[in-house]
Amino acid sequence: MSFILFASLGALVYVFVTAYRSRKVVNDLRKQGMPMPTFSWLSGHMLVVKENLEKFPIDAVHNYSFARMSQAFRKDKMFYLDFWPISTPFLVITNPYTASQITQNVSAEKPEAVTSAFVAMTGGPNLLSMPEQQWKRWRSIFSPGFSPAHMLSQVPKIVEHTALFCKGLQGLAQDGKLFQLEEATFRLTLDVIGAVSLDAHFNYQTSENEFAERLRSIVEWTSFGGEINPFKRWNPLRPLAIWYNGRFLDKLIHAELDRRFAERKAALEKPTETGAKSVASLALDNYIKDHVSAETESIDPTFKLYATAQIRMFLVAGHDTTSSAITYAFHLLYTNPTALASIRSEHDTVLGADPEVAGEMLSQDPGLLNQLPYTVAVIKEVLRLFPPAGGIRMGSSDIVLSTEDGNRYPTANCSVWILHGAIQRDPDYWPRPEEFLPERWLVGPDHELYPRVKGAWRPFELGPKNCIGQTLAMTEIKTVLAMTVRQFDMKPAYDEWDRLHPHAGIKAANAERAYQVDGGGGGLHPANRYPCRVACRG
């Protein structure tokens, strides 16, 4: 009881301190005439936020409501929001020009609520929370493991796990039952990221795995809503659950690192190893070359702490957002027959007429993935319409953003929130923005579909701190599509799902039933994990 009382008092102190700071910042911004919704001394902008939230399903991500609010600020595509009394103000950006200014600034960190959530989720300092100097060092250590060439060497591992995914879909097709596709893609991507990052074998697609289950539990407990809802952040059960499950993950990762350390040290002293190295193995190579002598018997504890945190981050980010992207790729392809026919035709041309041998061909020649331009265009269009995450930074007194017209927006004591979904569906930047048109990525600048503004596509974010794992994500999604779209037909089954799980209220966001919801670990996912049915093609 004393712990719960202490946590509750801590939450109240946080609220009051934040409320005072927030109101002062907003008052200064109002005096400067900065754009913001109608202001109330009693509630700030919370009533405006509530009004917009009510236009969407109760579980839809807040991105939808803030994108709707942004329509009132079309001139600069920027506005401030006051979340008094529970959070610091936000500067909301739907302008790629100004968004790039802050993402190019390496010193712009993520807000404290976000970094603390990432540290809790990963068990230590990580590439998403580190200050600039630490980030540079650890990014350089792990970058070789995510190079395009190295990712191609991992294709046989990805093929192996995708083959199990195909076998699972075949079983679901035979059963003819309604199922949630994203549960299957979750298990696939966890197996893949485990193999690629740590050379671990979770076998999560064929059996339960405690490591995978505990990792998912940490993701579900992690709160990135602390900036808006500190009571969720200060939930006394949250840190206990994360700590308990994190200890289990760390124990297994430490054992793997120790084993890899012994193997890597022996291999460097007497090279005999063949085959593709994991991301962790490459990082250990870099560490051993610079810090290990023949007398060194074990990994430095500091390196182990930092390396473990990075691996946990890769495991989380590598399965969470990629799973969402794969699911939405199936959704958009199977609801757009012309695009589906085009991608199948490309796979017939490059991988042969028999879809069942596509995996074998890719294992033997991973470079074939680089001969699938339409498939890449499909993926880019999927990520445009359903970006799996957003962008957020903490402003400071020395970061002032300017628009194309020279208007200046201070960021001191504000969180800067970049709405990827709003930018990537803005008709000022994208011709026919609501349509799924992979062709827009294959045409030249003179074509009507060509994107109008540089920097308006940012699912992996832009700038030096862009997503380190984007090469893995693209490689994995290409492989999965190459091995599945010619073997299966899928059909969303939301109507049937709603009959089986009746509920009142709005059921679609912007006319889309497969709207995005918060997945817990920062990623955005299809509602209800995408209920559907699958059939094998003849």
Side-chain angles (χ1 to χ4, degrees):
M1 289 297 294
S2 60
F3 177 81
I4 295 175
L5 178 61
F6 176 78
S8 299
L9 289 174
L12 288 173
V13 171
Y14 176 89
V15 167
F16 283 122
V17 171
T18 301
Y20 173 79
R21 182 173 57 190
S22 172
R23 180 46 53 94
K24 185 178 185 304
V25 172
V26 171
N27 281 341
D28 291 341
L29 292 170
R30 291 178 68 238
K31 290 177 182 177
Q32 298 173 53
M34 293 289 104
M36 61 180 67
T38 303
F39 179 79
S40 166
W41 280 100
L42 181 62
S43 60
H45 294 136
M46 294 299 288
L47 293 179
V48 179
V49 171
K50 178 177 179 293
E51 176 185 341
N52 282 273
L53 288 174
E54 291 172 347
K55 304 294 183 182
F56 298 95
I58 192 170
D59 59 343
V61 292
H62 292 173
N63 304 47
Y64 287 110
S65 57
F66 295 133
R68 184 177 187 272
M69 294 172 66
S70 72
Q71 296 303 307
F73 305 95
R74 296 293 296 170
K75 181 178 181 295
D76 287 346
K77 302 179 188 292
M78 300 173 68
F79 66 100
Y80 292 91
L81 271 180
D82 176 22
F83 285 101
W84 184 89
I86 61 174
S87 172
T88 56
F90 276 70
L91 172 57
V92 181
I93 296 179
T94 62
N95 182 335
Y97 179 82
T98 49
S100 294
Q101 291 172 36
I102 195 161
T103 55
Q104 290 289 343
N105 191 327
V106 181
S107 65
E109 308 292 344
K110 294 185 181 296
E112 188 276 334
V114 176
T115 57
S116 63
F118 275 121
V119 170
M121 187 165 60
T122 62
N126 57 79
L127 292 175
L128 294 173
S129 66
M130 288 176 177
E132 181 178 353
Q133 289 305 117
Q134 281 185 332
W135 169 82
K136 285 182 177 178
R137 176 175 181 245
W138 287 95
R139 177 94 178 199
S140 67
I141 288 174
F142 280 95
S143 286
F146 292 98
S147 69
H150 185 67
M151 278 302 108
L152 286 181
S153 74
Q154 301 293 317
V155 168
K157 296 179 183 178
I158 299 173
V159 166
E160 176 185 352
H161 293 293
T162 305
L164 290 176
F165 179 69
C166 292
K167 186 176 181 180
L169 291 180
Q170 290 168 355
L172 290 165
Q174 291 173 359
D175 291 341
K177 294 180 180 179
L178 175 74
F179 71 101
Q180 292 168 292
L181 176 60
E182 201 180 37
E183 178 61 29
T185 59
F186 260 136
R187 290 173 178 264
L188 163 65
T189 55
L190 266 168
D191 276 349
V192 169
I193 191 60
V196 170
S197 67
L198 203 59
D199 203 19
H201 303 284
F202 297 152
N203 300 316
Y204 196 36
Q205 294 187 89
T206 56
S207 62
E208 297 303 315
N209 178 274
E210 188 174 7
F211 186 99
E213 290 291 345
R214 288 179 182 259
L215 182 70
R216 288 182 66 173
S217 178
I218 286 178
V219 171
E220 290 165 3
W221 271 103
T222 300
S223 169
F224 288 89
E227 277 291 293
I228 298 176
N229 186 352
F231 292 103
K232 181 179 179 182
R233 179 185 175 193
W234 286 86
N235 182 338
L237 295 179
R238 174 179 167 269
L240 290 174
I242 293 175
W243 172 81
Y244 177 75
N245 288 304
R247 284 189 63 192
F248 180 88
L249 301 187
D250 287 350
K251 182 179 179 180
L252 290 185
I253 293 174
H254 290 169
E256 284 292 320
L257 285 174
D258 289 336
R259 184 163 66 90
R260 299 294 170 205
F261 175 80
E263 292 175 355
R264 304 305 308 142
K265 187 169 179 287
L268 289 173
E269 292 171 356
K270 186 178 180 181
T272 57
E273 185 182 29
T274 60
K277 302 175 184 177
S278 69
V279 172
S281 292
L282 286 182
L284 281 169
D285 283 355
N286 290 339
Y287 168 73
I288 290 171
K289 289 175 184 176
D290 296 335
H291 300 91
V292 175
S293 64
E295 292 76 27
T296 305
E297 297 296 331
S298 61
I299 304 175
D300 175 74
T302 301
F303 177 87
K304 184 178 286 188
L305 169 68
Y306 279 77
T308 299
Q310 308 324 307
I311 291 169
R312 277 174 60 170
M313 183 193 72
F314 298 148
L315 290 169
V316 169
H319 89 273
D320 188 68
T321 54
T322 306
S323 171
S324 170
I326 292 172
T327 304
Y328 274 119
F330 286 136
H331 171 59
L332 289 171
L333 282 171
Y334 289 107
T335 53
N336 289 272
T338 301
L340 181 60
S342 295
I343 195 172
R344 284 172 170 169
S345 176
E346 178 176 80
H347 294 172
D348 285 343
T349 300
V350 177
L351 301 172
D354 185 356
E356 294 188 3
V357 302
E360 181 181 349
M361 292 183 66
L362 290 173
S363 290
Q364 294 175 354
D365 185 6
L368 290 171
L369 288 176
N370 294 329
Q371 300 177 32
L372 301 173
Y374 190 82
T375 303
V376 172
V378 164
I379 297 170
K380 294 184 75 172
E381 189 71 344
V382 168
L383 294 173
R384 182 185 72 82
L385 290 170
F386 294 100
I392 192 166
R393 297 288 190 274
M394 190 65 205
S396 67
S397 58
D398 60 346
I399 298 178
V400 179
L401 305 179
S402 60
T403 66
E404 297 91 329
D405 295 334
N407 296 329
R408 294 167 62 81
Y409 285 75
T411 69
N413 299 310
C414 292
S415 296
V416 181
W417 190 1
I418 305 167
L419 288 180
H420 291 177
I423 293 174
Q424 294 179 178
R425 289 179 182 245
D426 192 320
D428 289 344
Y429 310 137
W430 305 93
R432 298 157 66 183
E434 298 298 328
E435 297 181 50
F436 178 65
L437 298 170
E439 292 76 15
R440 74 173 79 244
W441 300 102
L442 303 173
V443 298
D446 296 332
H447 196 280
E448 63 175 353
L449 288 179
Y450 191 77
R452 295 167 179 160
V453 176
K454 183 179 180 181
W457 188 79
R458 45 196 321 121
F460 298 113
E461 202 44 280
L462 301 175
K465 287 192 173 182
N466 61 3
C467 175
I468 192 174
Q470 59 186 285
T471 51
L472 170 58
M474 293 296 291
T475 302
E476 182 176 356
I477 300 169
K478 281 191 286 185
T479 303
V480 171
L481 293 181
M483 293 177 63
T484 55
V485 296
R486 292 183 296 164
Q487 290 199 59
F488 304 99
D489 283 318
M490 291 190 192
K491 183 180 180 181
Y494 277 106
D495 289 344
E496 184 177 356
W497 177 270
D498 290 338
R499 288 195 299 272
L500 294 171
H501 305 83
H503 65 281
I506 301 171
K507 294 184 174 62
N510 298 338
E512 174 62 78
R513 181 61 182 86
Y515 58 85
Q516 291 181 297
V517 300
D518 185 359
L524 309 181
H525 300 270
N528 309 118
R529 294 188 177 177
Y530 200 77
C532 70
R533 291 182 180 276
V534 63
C536 295
R537 300 182 73 212

